[in-house]
Amino acid sequence: QSGKFSSRLVERDPKTEIGRLNRALNSMLDSIEGAVRGRDKTLTQMRRFVSDASHELRTPLVTVRGYAELYRMGAIKTKKDLNEAMQRIESEAIRMTGLVESLLTLTRMDEIGNLKLREQDLSEIASAVVKDASVANPKVRFLAQSSTSQIANVDGDRIKQVLTNLVNNAGRFSADGSEVQVAVSSANGKHRLEVIDHGEGIPEMMRAKVFDRFYRADSSRNRETGGSGLGLSIAKSIVNAHEGQIWIEETEGGGATFVIELPTKGPEVDLSTASIKTVTES
């Protein structure tokens, strides 16, 4: 039937010409059906992505337009009200800028050759991220742990972006006085970076979904903190561009551990003899 790719020819004796022809046609139909399903899945994802992006942009645009109309109608009369309106417009403009920049980052990550690769020390990147997070969120104790030598051929700015996103998320949803660790190690031909928190954790059924674009485990909580649901998606895109992997494990005793593995061609580190240095920022 027209447009129906699930039908197949009846299998015949493969030793006969008809049998070989039937097998070839069935194989061709398998390929066509797979291609059509892949196209349909891509179109569905694209429609959802455009819908989600439009929804995210609509909210701040409505806010900006509303305050502009109030000002035009003369409803904003006092200096206090005017300052408040300008602050809200600026806040929503910043939010839209962040969203657009995130979308551009995702687009660039899909392009080949976008990374600026050079040898860098992953331990130094982790320490810098921890120091920045400690200044931004002094209520949480951030630690960076790494073995002595962690040289990798990576785009340092992008890897720092990934760790910054993961560490800030961990700190944001951790209780005051709790601890967030960034551990860097190397073994079995892989560099391993772990961001470990002791918060509420992430249910196993959600661990794969949190990397989807615009996905939120708690919409209200993320909106209050200004999240767009793109941070983890960007992190995954950057890790994938490095031909690495990222996933979530449960922290022993409770919490979430984000694990990143990056390929390395350098010498493996013997973790049993490697000295450990700890950078602590209170």
Side-chain angles (χ1 to χ4, degrees):
Q1 297 179 2
S2 177
K4 186 177 182 180
F5 300 99
S6 59
S7 299
R8 296 293 184 269
L9 297 173
V10 178
E11 293 290 339
R12 302 291 184 180
D13 187 349
K15 297 181 179 180
T16 65
E17 185 175 349
I18 295 296
R20 290 193 294 270
L21 178 61
N22 282 10
R23 177 177 293 181
L25 290 173
N26 284 338
S27 178
M28 180 183 68
L29 288 170
D30 288 339
S31 299
I32 293 174
E33 184 179 11
V36 170
R37 286 181 177 177
R39 183 203 64 180
D40 292 343
K41 182 179 179 180
T42 300
L43 289 174
T44 300
Q45 290 175 338
M46 185 179 297
R47 291 191 187 101
R48 178 185 173 188
F49 179 74
V50 171
S51 175
D52 290 341
S54 300
H55 177 73
E56 287 297 322
L57 286 169
R58 179 184 180 186
T59 302
L61 284 171
V62 168
T63 301
V64 171
R65 179 179 177 181
Y67 279 108
E69 288 182 351
L70 286 174
Y71 179 77
R72 178 177 55 82
M73 295 168 59
I76 301 177
K77 298 179 180 180
T78 67
K79 184 177 180 180
K80 180 181 177 181
D81 291 340
L82 179 60
N83 288 337
E84 182 180 350
M86 292 300 103
Q87 288 175 359
R88 292 291 299 131
I89 289 174
E90 182 182 12
S91 174
E92 294 302 317
I94 292 173
R95 180 180 171 187
M96 283 189 290
T97 300
L99 176 59
V100 171
E101 288 178 350
S102 296
L103 292 172
L104 289 174
T105 298
L106 285 171
T107 301
R108 295 191 189 106
M109 285 298 97
D110 292 335
E111 298 174 0
I112 299 175
N114 184 59
L115 299 177
K116 298 178 181 179
L117 301 175
R118 65 185 182 91
E119 289 190 348
Q120 300 197 49
D121 191 342
L122 296 176
S123 301
E124 292 182 359
I125 295 175
S127 296
V129 170
V130 162
K131 290 177 181 178
D132 293 344
S134 298
V135 173
N137 187 0
K139 295 181 180 180
V140 176
R141 185 171 181 237
F142 294 92
L143 300 171
Q145 295 182 327
S146 63
S147 51
T148 54
S149 178
Q150 298 298 333
I151 304 301
N153 189 35
V154 298
D155 186 326
D157 291 337
R158 295 300 188 185
I159 295 300
K160 184 177 180 181
Q161 182 180 1
V162 172
L163 289 179
T164 297
N165 181 282
L166 297 180
V167 169
N168 287 345
N169 279 346
R172 185 181 300 134
F173 301 121
S174 293
D176 292 351
S178 63
E179 186 176 280
V180 174
Q181 300 168 300
V182 182
V184 186
S185 60
S186 181
N188 302 321
K190 299 285 186 180
H191 286 297
R192 185 180 177 97
L193 301 93
E194 297 174 289
V195 177
I196 307 164
D197 70 55
H198 304 277
E200 299 177 359
I202 300 175
E204 187 173 356
M205 66 182 67
M206 294 183 180
R207 292 176 190 172
K209 295 181 180 179
V210 296
F211 294 105
D212 293 344
R213 298 177 183 183
F214 295 106
Y215 180 82
R216 293 189 182 89
D218 184 342
S219 298
S220 60
R221 183 179 67 175
N222 277 275
R223 286 190 181 281
E224 288 175 0
T225 55
S228 63
L230 290 174
L232 292 180
S233 181
I234 291 174
K236 183 177 181 180
S237 295
I238 292 173
V239 172
N240 288 345
H242 283 83
E243 297 183 355
Q245 293 180 308
I246 181 171
W247 68 90
I248 304 171
E249 297 178 353
E250 184 176 356
T251 302
E252 185 176 354
T257 297
F258 283 80
V259 182
I260 299 171
E261 280 194 349
L262 300 173
T264 175
K265 297 181 181 179
E268 295 183 4
V269 175
D270 185 357
L271 297 179
S272 62
T273 59
S275 61
I276 300 296
K277 59 181 180 180
T278 302
V279 178
T280 305
E281 296 294 333
S282 58

